[in-house]
Amino acid sequence: MPGTMRRAIYPGSFDPPTFGHLDIAERAAGLFDELIVAVGENSDKAPFLPVEDRVAALEECVGSLRNVRVTSFRGLLVDFARGQGCHVLVRGLRAVSDFEYEFRVTMANRRLAPEVETVFLFARDEYSFLASSVVREVNRLGGDVSEFVPEAVRRRLGHSV
Ligand code: PNS
């Protein structure tokens, strides 16, 4: 629609953000007029990195893109999306193993907010193995995570084994 601002949300736990997340955020920023990278706060789970650190690291990495804003949210993603006047969610897909979870969440979100569409971007093949859980494990065991996460994240990681 001419004159309509296409705004999308790229939500995730980003705990911690990886090069795979940054790649999806950069590509999504190229597809929409405005992209909100939204860090979900899950009060049930003790985070690996505090939410403020995840937001700060993402801001360092993608906040300088002219149409990207980084923030955090609590509660239902679709409520956050409605509050932002946004009807598009972007998610990354790495492999078939991601599909089942993404399918469930997408269908639940659709029932809750039929006007909100979820679109998927395939991860670049060099990141198709990469997950925050892998980074947490390698870091916990003292391994080098520089192939997996940017310096803005590395600086914020502890090394408790
Ligand atoms: O990177 P992740 O961990 O797959 O991100 C998950 C996230 C934050 C997008 C998801 O857990 C979420 O949307 N949480 C908010 C609660 C919610 O709306 N859940 C969807 C209905 S099941």
Side-chain angles (χ1 to χ4, degrees):
M1 260 186 289
T4 305
M5 183 76 146
R6 287 282 172 204
R7 179 181 292 157
I9 294 175
Y10 176 34
S13 303
F14 303 110
D15 196 18
T18 68
F19 285 128
H21 293 131
L22 300 185
D23 174 52
I24 298 287
E26 283 164 12
R27 286 163 50 207
L31 294 172
F32 296 94
D33 297 317
E34 188 183 339
L35 183 74
I36 303 169
V37 178
V39 180
E41 286 191 64
N42 182 348
S43 44
D44 295 348
K45 260 196 315 195
F48 171 69
L49 280 187
V51 69
E52 302 76 30
D53 284 18
R54 286 178 264 159
V55 169
L58 284 163
E59 259 165 4
E60 271 188 55
C61 296
V62 291
S64 59
L65 297 174
R66 59 159 185 86
N67 61 339
V68 175
R69 180 154 61 85
V70 183
T71 189
S72 60
F73 73 99
R74 283 168 195 258
L76 283 177
L77 175 57
V78 291
D79 288 341
F80 173 73
R82 281 174 166 160
Q84 299 290 317
C86 180
H87 300 118
V88 182
L89 305 175
V90 176
R91 294 282 291 170
L93 269 185
R94 289 162 299 195
V96 176
S97 51
D98 284 340
F99 179 85
E100 209 170 316
Y101 169 75
E102 295 297 336
F103 178 78
R104 267 188 284 124
V105 173
T106 299
M107 293 304 146
N109 284 339
R110 181 179 286 171
R111 285 292 169 98
L112 294 166
E115 78 281 12
V116 175
E117 285 287 2
T118 306
V119 300
F120 293 91
L121 294 182
F122 276 107
R124 274 164 55 175
D125 54 358
E126 61 263 49
Y127 301 134
S128 58
F129 72 97
L130 186 50
S132 295
S133 56
V134 169
V135 177
R136 293 196 295 268
E137 172 103 349
V138 171
N139 182 68
R140 186 171 63 82
L141 299 173
D144 178 9
V145 295
S146 54
E147 293 265 330
F148 308 146
V149 298
E151 153 65 14
V153 170
R154 278 206 309 280
R155 226 185 305 126
R156 292 175 165 88
L157 299 178
H159 290 279
S160 52
V161 178

